[in-house]
PDB file of all heavy atoms in Angstrom:
ATOM      1  N   ALA G 177      -8.228  36.244 -15.073  1.00 98.00           N
ATOM      2  CA  ALA G 177      -7.388  37.423 -14.870  1.00 98.00           C
ATOM      3  C   ALA G 177      -8.247  38.666 -14.588  1.00 98.00           C
ATOM      4  O   ALA G 177      -9.344  38.810 -15.165  1.00 98.00           O
ATOM      5  CB  ALA G 177      -6.554  37.670 -16.111  1.00 98.00           C
ATOM      6  N   VAL G 307      13.684  62.970  11.224  1.00 98.00           N
ATOM      7  CA  VAL G 307      12.950  62.176  12.199  1.00 98.00           C
ATOM      8  C   VAL G 307      11.765  62.963  12.756  1.00 98.00           C
ATOM      9  O   VAL G 307      10.708  62.440  13.023  1.00 98.00           O
ATOM     10  CB  VAL G 307      13.919  61.732  13.311  1.00 98.00           C
ATOM     11  CG1 VAL G 307      13.170  61.283  14.554  1.00 98.00           C
ATOM     12  CG2 VAL G 307      14.827  60.627  12.785  1.00 98.00           C
ATOM     13  N   GLY G 528     -28.279  33.216 -10.300  1.00 97.00           N
ATOM     14  CA  GLY G 528     -29.406  32.450 -10.823  1.00 97.00           C
ATOM     15  C   GLY G 528     -30.203  31.699  -9.777  1.00 97.00           C
ATOM     16  O   GLY G 528     -30.865  30.711 -10.072  1.00 97.00           O
TER      17      GLY G 528
END
Side-chain angles (χ1 to χ4, degrees):
V307 162

